[in-house]
Amino acid sequence: MTFFGCFVAVVVLFFIFLGYRIFSKISDKKQDSGKTGGFLEKAFLLFFVSLIMVCINALTFILSYSFFWEKAYRTFDEPQYTATVIGYKKEITKGKNFSNSSYSDRLIFFPRVEYTDANGKKIIKTLDITSNDPPALGEKVKITDAENRDSTNAVELDWIMLAAGGIFTGVVAFFGTLLATYGTSSGMKKRIRWSLTAGLALTLINVCCILFIYLKQ
């Protein structure tokens, strides 16, 4: 299993545990009021709470890892090259139309680039990120790369989108922490302070990663 796979597994298992703590507190409160509930009701409640916990927090940490932490580490650790866009790798994703709540196929184009490494060998790989306006054929882009990587690390990024992503992950971290601390004995004010601290800390970490990548260009 890759490091990213292990990271996802740890995140999922940890927040399933926190979901179980929330479920236990809800069950204890219902039992104190004389409403024990049946097995199916308890099973559904445990599944629902765990699902919410995993979805919210996995979204926060996986996005932060993929778009900020890993990119900052690769920018620091890997040699930098200037590559040329020679083509595009096409992928199909599902896009939602919010006007009628329908889904449709959406094409995404990841630029394929060519560069010469330190040993004089020509390398062709796909960029790890794209946007609505990918670089044109023949355009020069700054990347970092290593032999054991499947894709290159794009250094020139859409800073507005990354800044919005940094704020978004911080907001989601706030609500994720607020929900996770429900399983503790702390009051609402203390839980809100913890949640604000977690949200601001994650936002600051991700913004620092953005600034580091920018300074390394």
Side-chain angles (χ1 to χ4, degrees):
M1 182 182 290
T2 64
F3 179 82
F4 178 70
C6 293
F7 175 79
V8 173
V10 170
V11 168
V12 169
L13 290 174
F14 177 70
F15 287 106
I16 286 177
F17 167 72
L18 291 184
Y20 176 76
R21 291 188 60 183
I22 295 172
F23 161 77
S24 298
K25 185 172 182 178
I26 295 174
S27 297
D28 291 342
K29 285 188 173 183
K30 293 183 69 175
Q31 190 171 3
D32 292 340
S33 63
K35 301 177 181 178
T36 56
F39 173 78
L40 288 178
E41 181 182 346
K42 290 181 179 179
F44 175 77
L45 179 61
L46 175 60
F47 172 77
F48 183 72
V49 172
S50 299
L51 181 64
I52 291 177
M53 285 296 297
V54 170
C55 288
I56 292 177
N57 293 286
L59 174 68
T60 304
F61 285 96
I62 291 174
L63 285 178
S64 295
Y65 177 91
S66 301
F67 289 96
F68 303 102
W69 306 344
E70 185 185 32
K71 289 189 71 64
Y73 173 76
R74 291 189 65 179
T75 302
F76 167 78
D77 184 65
E78 298 174 354
Q80 188 174 118
Y81 304 99
T82 298
T84 304
V85 178
I86 60 172
Y88 302 94
K89 177 184 176 182
K90 182 173 67 174
E91 292 190 5
I92 300 176
T93 62
K94 292 291 184 181
K96 184 174 182 180
N97 187 336
F98 290 96
S99 61
N100 55 17
S101 298
S102 63
Y103 289 87
S104 58
D105 291 339
R106 178 184 174 189
L107 291 177
I108 298 179
F109 296 93
F110 286 86
R112 290 185 62 80
V113 298
E114 181 183 70
Y115 70 94
T116 302
D117 66 10
N119 298 319
K121 181 180 178 181
K122 286 191 177 296
I123 306 294
I124 297 177
K125 287 187 180 180
T126 304
L127 286 181
D128 64 337
I129 196 169
T130 188
S131 67
N132 293 330
D133 185 24
L137 289 175
E139 187 173 339
K140 303 291 184 181
V141 292
K142 292 181 180 179
I143 63 164
T144 66
D145 193 28
E147 290 184 3
N148 60 338
R149 298 288 187 172
D150 295 328
S151 60
T152 63
N153 173 46
V155 178
E156 299 179 37
L157 306 171
D158 188 335
W159 304 112
I160 295 178
M161 288 299 296
L162 277 184
I167 296 172
F168 172 76
T169 52
V171 172
V172 177
F174 168 82
F175 288 106
T177 305
L178 188 64
L179 179 60
T181 52
Y182 178 79
T184 67
S185 58
S186 302
M188 178 59 79
K189 288 184 178 180
K190 194 170 185 179
R191 289 171 56 209
I192 290 177
R193 286 199 299 269
W194 285 351
S195 302
L196 284 172
T197 301
L200 290 173
L202 187 63
T203 300
L204 180 61
I205 291 171
N206 291 343
V207 169
C208 286
C209 288
I210 296 173
L211 291 175
F212 178 78
I213 297 171
Y214 173 75
L215 294 174
K216 289 288 288 185
Q217 281 190 2

